[in-house]
Amino acid sequence: MAAAEGQTSPQASGKNWHEVVLQTLKRNDIRLVPYVPDRVLTTLIKSIHADPFFTTFPTAREEEAVGIISGAWMGGMRGAVLMQTSGFATLANVLASLVVPSQIPLIMFVSERGTLGEFNYGQTLVCRTMRPVLDSLAMEHHTCTRLDEFEFIVDRSIKQAITTQAPVALILSPLLTGGKVFDK
Amino acid sequence: MNTATNGPARNTKVMNRFDLTSRLVAKLKNEEAVIGGIGNTNFDLWAAGHRPQNFYMLGSMGLAFPIALGVALAQPKRHVFALEGDGSLLMQLGCLSTIATLKPNNLTMIVMDNGIYQITGAQPTPAAAVADIIAIAIGCGLSNSAWAADEEDFERLVDQSMTASEPVLIGVRIDDKPGVGVTRRDPVQIRERFMHGIGVREPL
């Protein structure tokens, strides 16, 4: 697990995927970024912490972060949540009972584990619960695999979420991020 | 083993949720936001007199404090109250540490503790006989946490919390009387009205 994901990320047009996320959040005035960590998100989380534009902090559970973002939206502040697939699996109740019926533009970045070389069987199964949950709630979601499309997907998805007051999940595939690096 | 049904010995009066909620609402002169938790805290908040600055949760058990934290972060000049039941808080104890770390000085959390899941038939919570919510909150880093001894003490703690330099958590022991009103159940209308009430949106 020694290799940094930054070294395995695809590079194009001078930007890494995590730089695209950070800049696109800023451009859309997304200031509040609670998260539950994931190794793949480490560089993004560090760079958001380093930028005083953002209010960012870890939460104990993904549900909690969604509650915070929902309150902040109602109070006039835009936010996004960072998590991994197993964290998304804890969200069915808050999505179905708060975010979707209240029409809250929750923006989620979900680092996709459990696919493309996953070594943990539990992670593979929990990953397969994600898209059925999103589909069952008719939630917009995109699986991001290519750096050349990424900024377009992120920027347009944020704008659509806010203007239609509907949540969106941006699933960060290992094809985009390099995924979790393992040496066994 | 302590076999009391309402936690370790506390020299605190058993009060009534609707009475306490009414006392709180009567103190709100500056359009303070109030987040009502799922169930009876919500019903009594509604019954205490609807205000546009009230948000009534219709699901998402345990998220009253995180939602209130979000409002408090977005509007640091507005004081935000959150009403939560003990059973709901047990579902989301982690949020206490998050709030203690962020230290918003405009957030007051009130825990209505009767040791039971009242709305589902008054079954005891798994913590009812042993856990002390205030000790938990202090252990999570919320040093400004206290049980209210009686109604007067509750009012004093609420007054103090509005000018405190840290988040405040107030525990109240309450009886098992059901909520007085029934919240209207229209999520979009509730959310939109709240956003009007706290100045984020203009009505159409």
Side-chain angles (χ1 to χ4, degrees), chain B residues 84-148:
Chain B
E84 192 64 297
D86 57 325
S88 288
L89 181 58
L90 286 171
M91 285 212 171
Q92 205 69 237
L93 284 177
C95 77
L96 298 179
S97 298
T98 308
I99 292 165
T101 303
L102 294 173
K103 294 186 174 62
N105 65 3
N106 58 331
L107 177 60
T108 303
M109 296 159 275
I110 298 172
V111 184
M112 303 282 186
D113 183 359
N114 57 9
I116 55 174
Y117 294 113
Q118 185 175 354
I119 204 163
T120 56
Q123 303 86 349
T125 73
V130 293
D132 182 325
I133 295 283
I134 295 300
I136 290 169
I138 292 170
C140 288
L142 290 165
S143 53
N144 215 338
S145 303
W147 288 107

Side-chain angles (χ1 to χ4, degrees), chain B residues 63-192:
Chain B
L63 289 184
F65 291 174
I67 291 170
L69 172 62
V71 177
L73 291 172
Q75 299 208 354
K77 290 181 180 165
R78 184 188 304 275
H79 205 88
V80 181
F81 288 86
L83 309 175
E84 192 64 297
D86 57 325
S88 288
L89 181 58
L90 286 171
M91 285 212 171
Q92 205 69 237
L93 284 177
C95 77
L96 298 179
S97 298
T98 308
I99 292 165
T101 303
L102 294 173
K103 294 186 174 62
N105 65 3
N106 58 331
L107 177 60
T108 303
M109 296 159 275
I110 298 172
V111 184
M112 303 282 186
D113 183 359
N114 57 9
I116 55 174
Y117 294 113
Q118 185 175 354
I119 204 163
T120 56
Q123 303 86 349
T125 73
V130 293
D132 182 325
I133 295 283
I134 295 300
I136 290 169
I138 292 170
C140 288
L142 290 165
S143 53
N144 215 338
S145 303
W147 288 107
D150 55 23
E151 288 85 353
E152 271 185 23
D153 194 35
F154 173 74
E155 293 205 19
R156 182 184 65 82
L157 290 166
V158 168
D159 288 340
Q160 281 183 354
S161 77
M162 286 200 251
T163 55
S165 57
E166 285 179 45
V168 171
L169 188 144
I170 303 169
V172 290
R173 290 173 73 202
I174 58 162
D175 59 34
D176 60 357
K177 299 280 191 303
V180 170
V182 178
T183 315
R184 286 217 314 252
R185 295 189 172 101
D186 184 329
V188 169
Q189 191 179 38
I190 288 169
R191 195 259 306 138
E192 192 70 18

